[in-house]
Amino acid sequence: MATVEVEVRDAVRSVLLNRPDKRNALDADMLAALTAAFRRPPAASERLAVIRANGPAFCAGLDLRARKEMTGGASSIEETLHTIENYPLPVV
């Protein structure tokens, strides 16, 4: 099952965090998928990106159990956040 799903409808790029059983905690796969979602340049018709989440919690932060297995450590989340911050459209 995909942990991050991207859909573009009308002028909105919707990025869905989809790991509700772990309260959408970010593991290495989710960080890589989030980074990839925001590295793809927007289509000319896009005006906005929205990060949403499936389940009762938006995001519990880094998955502390999976953190031990992450080779990038804190730099992985920093890269993801930097990519989102530099996305050329507003991100909500």
Side-chain angles (χ1 to χ4, degrees):
M1 175 152 103
T3 55
V4 174
E5 300 170 17
V6 180
E7 175 185 40
V8 177
R9 186 180 304 180
D10 299 322
V12 179
R13 177 179 298 211
S14 180
V15 179
L16 178 70
L17 305 179
N18 192 17
R19 196 173 173 224
D21 56 315
K22 297 291 185 180
R23 303 184 72 75
N24 296 308
L26 301 170
D27 62 5
D29 291 338
M30 286 186 77
L31 290 171
L34 268 172
T35 302
F38 286 97
R39 279 199 175 137
R40 271 184 268 146
S45 62
E46 287 181 53
R47 298 288 176 252
L48 173 72
V50 177
I51 303 173
R52 304 177 311 115
N54 188 11
F58 176 69
C59 180
L62 277 178
D63 185 332
L64 297 179
R65 292 187 183 180
R67 186 175 181 192
K68 292 182 259 182
E69 300 165 11
M70 291 184 193
T71 57
S75 64
S76 295
I77 193 166
E78 289 172 7
E79 178 184 355
T80 300
L81 295 174
H82 181 73
T83 303
I84 294 169
E85 180 181 20
N86 288 302
Y87 191 68
L89 298 177
V91 178
V92 179

